[in-house]
PDB file of all heavy atoms in Angstrom:
ATOM      1  N   LEU A   4    -135.436  36.799 -31.093  1.00  0.00           N
ATOM      2  CA  LEU A   4    -136.570  36.265 -30.250  1.00  0.00           C
ATOM      3  C   LEU A   4    -136.315  34.801 -29.916  1.00  0.00           C
ATOM      4  O   LEU A   4    -137.057  34.278 -29.066  1.00  0.00           O
ATOM      5  CB  LEU A   4    -137.849  36.484 -30.986  1.00  0.00           C
ATOM      6  CG  LEU A   4    -138.281  38.006 -30.995  1.00  0.00           C
ATOM      7  CD1 LEU A   4    -139.561  38.150 -31.897  1.00  0.00           C
ATOM      8  CD2 LEU A   4    -138.496  38.630 -29.675  1.00  0.00           C
ATOM      9  N   GLU A  24    -137.928  34.197  -8.968  1.00  0.00           N
ATOM     10  CA  GLU A  24    -138.344  33.388 -10.110  1.00  0.00           C
ATOM     11  C   GLU A  24    -139.086  34.257 -11.086  1.00  0.00           C
ATOM     12  O   GLU A  24    -138.821  34.136 -12.355  1.00  0.00           O
ATOM     13  CB  GLU A  24    -139.104  32.222  -9.597  1.00  0.00           C
ATOM     14  CG  GLU A  24    -139.487  31.246 -10.694  1.00  0.00           C
ATOM     15  CD  GLU A  24    -140.339  30.042 -10.352  1.00  0.00           C
ATOM     16  OE1 GLU A  24    -140.311  29.764  -9.137  1.00  0.00           O
ATOM     17  OE2 GLU A  24    -140.893  29.487 -11.268  1.00  0.00           O
ATOM     18  N   TYR A  47    -138.856  49.982 -17.634  1.00  0.00           N
ATOM     19  CA  TYR A  47    -140.081  49.259 -17.726  1.00  0.00           C
ATOM     20  C   TYR A  47    -140.752  49.302 -16.332  1.00  0.00           C
ATOM     21  O   TYR A  47    -140.002  49.075 -15.312  1.00  0.00           O
ATOM     22  CB  TYR A  47    -139.912  47.832 -18.215  1.00  0.00           C
ATOM     23  CG  TYR A  47    -139.206  47.701 -19.461  1.00  0.00           C
ATOM     24  CD1 TYR A  47    -137.827  47.606 -19.647  1.00  0.00           C
ATOM     25  CD2 TYR A  47    -139.956  47.618 -20.648  1.00  0.00           C
ATOM     26  CE1 TYR A  47    -137.247  47.444 -20.921  1.00  0.00           C
ATOM     27  CE2 TYR A  47    -139.371  47.480 -21.805  1.00  0.00           C
ATOM     28  CZ  TYR A  47    -137.991  47.470 -21.970  1.00  0.00           C
ATOM     29  OH  TYR A  47    -137.378  47.296 -23.252  1.00  0.00           O
ATOM     30  N   PHE A  63    -142.502  46.426  -8.995  1.00  0.00           N
ATOM     31  CA  PHE A  63    -141.098  46.634  -9.367  1.00  0.00           C
ATOM     32  C   PHE A  63    -140.989  47.455 -10.655  1.00  0.00           C
ATOM     33  O   PHE A  63    -141.894  47.428 -11.506  1.00  0.00           O
ATOM     34  CB  PHE A  63    -140.500  45.170  -9.603  1.00  0.00           C
ATOM     35  CG  PHE A  63    -140.118  44.489  -8.375  1.00  0.00           C
ATOM     36  CD1 PHE A  63    -141.056  43.579  -7.681  1.00  0.00           C
ATOM     37  CD2 PHE A  63    -138.958  44.548  -7.792  1.00  0.00           C
ATOM     38  CE1 PHE A  63    -140.781  43.015  -6.610  1.00  0.00           C
ATOM     39  CE2 PHE A  63    -138.551  43.918  -6.648  1.00  0.00           C
ATOM     40  CZ  PHE A  63    -139.497  43.099  -6.023  1.00  0.00           C
ATOM     41  N   SER A  86    -137.109  48.801  -0.694  1.00  0.00           N
ATOM     42  CA  SER A  86    -135.729  48.262  -0.308  1.00  0.00           C
ATOM     43  C   SER A  86    -135.346  46.956  -0.987  1.00  0.00           C
ATOM     44  O   SER A  86    -134.253  46.449  -0.794  1.00  0.00           O
ATOM     45  CB  SER A  86    -135.626  48.101   1.232  1.00  0.00           C
ATOM     46  OG  SER A  86    -136.579  47.028   1.639  1.00  0.00           O
ATOM     47  N   LYS A  88    -134.109  44.846  -4.131  1.00  0.00           N
ATOM     48  CA  LYS A  88    -133.396  45.108  -5.335  1.00  0.00           C
ATOM     49  C   LYS A  88    -132.840  43.810  -5.954  1.00  0.00           C
ATOM     50  O   LYS A  88    -132.567  42.887  -5.174  1.00  0.00           O
ATOM     51  CB  LYS A  88    -132.284  45.985  -5.084  1.00  0.00           C
ATOM     52  CG  LYS A  88    -132.666  47.446  -4.718  1.00  0.00           C
ATOM     53  CD  LYS A  88    -131.485  48.187  -4.304  1.00  0.00           C
ATOM     54  CE  LYS A  88    -131.680  49.683  -3.903  1.00  0.00           C
ATOM     55  NZ  LYS A  88    -132.900  50.010  -3.180  1.00  0.00           N
ATOM     56  N   LEU A  95    -127.421  36.490 -24.477  1.00  0.00           N
ATOM     57  CA  LEU A  95    -128.344  35.788 -25.357  1.00  0.00           C
ATOM     58  C   LEU A  95    -127.532  34.689 -26.076  1.00  0.00           C
ATOM     59  O   LEU A  95    -126.421  34.930 -26.675  1.00  0.00           O
ATOM     60  CB  LEU A  95    -128.989  36.664 -26.393  1.00  0.00           C
ATOM     61  CG  LEU A  95    -130.142  37.539 -25.867  1.00  0.00           C
ATOM     62  CD1 LEU A  95    -130.683  38.436 -27.005  1.00  0.00           C
ATOM     63  CD2 LEU A  95    -131.249  36.729 -25.247  1.00  0.00           C
TER      64      LEU A  95
END
Side-chain angles (χ1 to χ4, degrees):
L4 290 175
E24 183 179 343
Y47 302 89
F63 281 88
S86 65
K88 294 177 180 34
L95 286 177

